[in-house]
Amino acid sequence: MGNHRVQGSYKWVVLALSFFMMISFALSLQVLPPLFEQIMVDISFSNSQAGILMGAYAIPGIFLPFIVAYLANRFDMKKLIIAALIIMILGLVAFSLAESFSLLVVCRLVAGIGATVLVVLAPLLITMFFDQKNIGIAMGIFNTAVPLGTVLAANLFGSLGRILGWRVILYGVAGFLGVILLFVIFALSLQKNDGNTHSDDVSRQSAPKFRGSLSLWFLAAIWVLANFQLLAYVTFGSQFYQSLGLANQQAGFLTSLIMLASIFLAPIIGVAFDKTGRKKPYLITGSVIILISFVLMAAHFPGLPLWAVALGIGFAPIPVFVFAHLPETVKPHEVGMGMGMLTIASNLGTTIGPSALGSILDRTGGNFSISFMVLAAVSIIIIAFSLGLKPRSSRSENQ
């Protein structure tokens, strides 16, 4: 079982554990938007502060990914995952007990530290246990976890919160993480990192020389902006639909469509990439669809459910493109560092997006027309950056 490769079915157990780790991440991240209205009854805060609560969860992910990767090479990865889940559980339970906005922010930061560890290590487990012949399907399954968790949170937590109370929902998510923790303790088996210390030191000495490429920076910028749009919309989408008279459950469902589409379309788009060898047209097409959808929603154009579905169709190609295009922007030995940059980019967009849109809503008296036009403008910037993307082979060397 060298290099963690297994011939039997155990790799599928690892995939299942990684999948549920990411569902845990998604549920703990997205538990708040459906409950904001109820939380505000007990603890008063503004829309911009609601965005801060969402963004605070991702702040540790801006600074910690490279540290987590370092620790994973030096220490027992299973212990790191166990510690991460415990930290997340403590953060969720503390949040449910908090009585002030400042404490809510601290609790989200704590939970975000554990979540950052999971986000870095869960996909790493898959690369350890799956070889090149079947890693594609493993990653395809794995990448449906976050959209699935987001859809479940958007459609269930609002209604359940009205019946049980928002604090009980937080306890419930913490309990779910507790179950995953037990499965990790008893079902995850990893070999110890004994023999790679010297090679790790050598590779780490070269890490500071990593400069990537201009295309990598464009790709990271696209991923920042895409997450800015996504999290801003998911955080305040339900509030927008409710302002138009829709019930809480209907509002949550329409908001979740942006993630629901990815569950079904992402694997198909990946196959299309492989079959056609063309990626950028899908990114640009998706961005144009998002741009048009936000403009039509800002104008309250008839057919609102159609534009909600269109947002999901437009967003689906973006994450597939970003991770599929990454190897074309860096040298082979720089892919790991490039992945670290994309993790930081994702968390940067997640941090800024909700608080920025919340601030705009506060300053405009809850005017979603202005807010959605801002999100539409973000798509124009994404398209502009996409025009600067070039494969590494078309440049002389990484600059």
Side-chain angles (χ1 to χ4, degrees), residues 170-372:
L170 269 294
Y171 286 135
V173 175
F176 178 79
L177 265 67
V179 173
I180 303 304
L181 173 62
L182 292 176
F183 276 115
V184 169
I185 291 172
F186 294 108
L188 183 60
S189 177
L190 300 175
Q191 290 182 342
K192 299 271 199 272
N193 278 350
D194 288 333
N196 293 331
T197 305
H198 178 68
S199 61
D200 287 342
D201 290 339
V202 171
S203 65
R204 202 164 284 104
Q205 286 175 358
S206 64
K209 299 178 181 177
F210 169 77
R211 290 180 296 175
S213 66
L214 184 59
S215 283
L216 176 61
W217 288 102
F218 281 144
L219 192 67
I222 289 170
W223 198 219
V224 170
L225 295 171
N227 280 277
F228 178 105
Q229 280 183 312
L230 176 65
L231 267 294
Y233 173 74
V234 169
T235 301
F236 295 105
S238 289
Q239 186 175 324
F240 165 69
Y241 294 118
Q242 288 174 18
S243 73
L244 299 179
L246 275 69
N248 184 63
Q249 192 165 0
Q250 292 174 308
F253 175 71
L254 287 177
T255 304
S256 70
L257 287 175
I258 193 170
M259 301 300 286
L260 188 62
S262 291
I263 297 174
F264 301 102
L265 292 180
I268 297 172
I269 292 167
V271 172
F273 282 2
D274 292 340
K275 293 290 186 182
T276 65
R278 294 165 61 83
K279 302 183 185 74
K280 192 186 295 187
Y282 293 91
L283 170 67
I284 295 175
T285 301
S287 298
V288 170
I289 292 172
I290 292 173
L291 168 62
I292 294 171
S293 299
F294 274 129
V295 169
L296 293 174
M297 293 171 75
H300 292 210
F301 199 81
L304 199 59
L306 178 61
W307 315 133
V309 172
L311 281 177
I313 294 172
F315 184 76
I318 297 179
V320 183
F321 172 86
V322 166
F323 289 100
H325 190 71
L326 173 64
E328 298 181 29
T329 66
V330 294
K331 297 176 182 177
H333 69 276
E334 295 176 330
V335 171
M337 294 293 287
M339 190 68 73
M341 278 190 64
L342 292 183
T343 301
I344 293 170
S346 171
N347 285 287
L348 191 60
T350 300
T351 300
I352 298 172
S355 57
L357 195 70
S359 179
I360 293 171
L361 287 169
D362 285 339
R363 292 172 182 272
T364 60
N367 190 321
F368 277 98
S369 294
I370 295 174
S371 301
F372 281 177

Side-chain angles (χ1 to χ4, degrees), residues 35-45 162 166-167:
L35 301 175
F36 273 143
E37 183 181 343
Q38 300 162 48
I39 299 173
M40 287 177 179
V41 173
D42 294 338
I43 304 171
S44 178
F45 51 85
R162 293 180 185 277
W166 66 270
R167 298 181 193 273

Side-chain angles (χ1 to χ4, degrees), residues 70-253:
Y70 172 83
L71 294 175
N73 283 327
R74 309 290 288 186
F75 301 101
D76 186 345
M77 192 183 299
K78 179 177 178 178
K79 291 179 180 177
L80 292 175
I81 293 171
I82 290 171
L85 287 166
I86 291 173
I87 290 170
M88 290 177 70
I89 291 169
L90 291 175
L92 286 165
V93 171
F95 189 98
S96 67
L97 297 173
E99 297 290 347
S100 69
F101 176 76
S102 58
L103 281 177
L104 293 180
V105 173
V106 171
C107 294
R108 287 291 279 179
L109 285 169
V110 170
I113 293 171
T116 298
V117 177
L118 282 194
V119 168
V120 174
L121 298 187
L124 188 57
L125 285 176
I126 295 176
T127 65
M128 290 165 57
F129 280 86
F130 284 82
D131 56 30
Q132 284 300 117
K133 288 188 288 187
N134 49 26
I135 196 171
I137 187 169
M139 282 296 185
I141 295 170
F142 174 81
N143 280 309
T144 64
V146 171
L148 180 59
T150 302
V151 169
L152 290 173
N155 287 283
L156 294 178
F157 289 167
S159 299
L160 290 175
R162 293 180 185 277
I163 298 171
L164 303 173
W166 66 270
R167 298 181 193 273
V168 174
I169 303 302
L170 269 294
Y171 286 135
V173 175
F176 178 79
L177 265 67
V179 173
I180 303 304
L181 173 62
L182 292 176
F183 276 115
V184 169
I185 291 172
F186 294 108
L188 183 60
S189 177
L190 300 175
Q191 290 182 342
K192 299 271 199 272
N193 278 350
D194 288 333
N196 293 331
T197 305
H198 178 68
S199 61
D200 287 342
D201 290 339
V202 171
S203 65
R204 202 164 284 104
Q205 286 175 358
S206 64
K209 299 178 181 177
F210 169 77
R211 290 180 296 175
S213 66
L214 184 59
S215 283
L216 176 61
W217 288 102
F218 281 144
L219 192 67
I222 289 170
W223 198 219
V224 170
L225 295 171
N227 280 277
F228 178 105
Q229 280 183 312
L230 176 65
L231 267 294
Y233 173 74
V234 169
T235 301
F236 295 105
S238 289
Q239 186 175 324
F240 165 69
Y241 294 118
Q242 288 174 18
S243 73
L244 299 179
L246 275 69
N248 184 63
Q249 192 165 0
Q250 292 174 308
F253 175 71

